[in-house]
Amino acid sequence: MVLWYGLAEKVEAAGQAPSQARSPGPLTRREQQIAELVAQGFTNKKIAATLAISQRTVDAHVEHIMVKLGFTSRAQIAAWITENLTKPRT
């Protein structure tokens, strides 16, 4: 998973911000990655262990996701991810 973060840096170095690279909607790549894990039922503690980041960092990302999308629950994040991943991309 750290490799994915490294790829974001390569994209940024090429002149494209990580949030613009393959990220649907208003979320950054890292926020989308965390939202996908939330949708899979991971706890913040498990997400932190999976991504090798602190639980506090995950807490902050989840909070930012909720604020950006206007949500109040993890279930809403899961529904949003499901809806956005099943839509055909053009």
Side-chain angles (χ1 to χ4, degrees):
M1 299 297 173
V2 174
L3 176 63
W4 206 46
Y5 187 74
L7 291 175
E9 291 175 352
K10 286 184 182 180
V11 170
E12 188 173 43
Q16 186 178 26
S19 62
Q20 295 172 327
R22 291 186 265 167
S23 180
L27 302 182
T28 66
R29 289 180 73 184
R30 181 59 108 182
E31 288 168 346
Q32 181 182 342
Q33 184 181 30
I34 289 173
E36 289 172 4
L37 294 174
V38 167
Q40 292 175 32
F42 285 37
T43 63
N44 286 4
K45 185 175 182 178
K46 187 171 180 181
I47 293 169
T50 301
L51 300 178
I53 59 177
S54 77
Q55 185 174 339
R56 179 62 190 113
T57 299
V58 176
D59 295 343
H61 280 304
V62 171
E63 182 64 27
H64 292 153
I65 292 165
M66 288 184 181
V67 168
K68 283 183 176 182
L69 299 177
F71 295 158
T72 57
S73 74
R74 296 170 74 89
Q76 289 174 303
I77 294 172
W80 186 85
I81 284 292
T82 301
E83 181 179 313
N84 282 285
L85 289 180
T86 57
K87 285 184 180 178
R89 292 189 181 167
T90 56

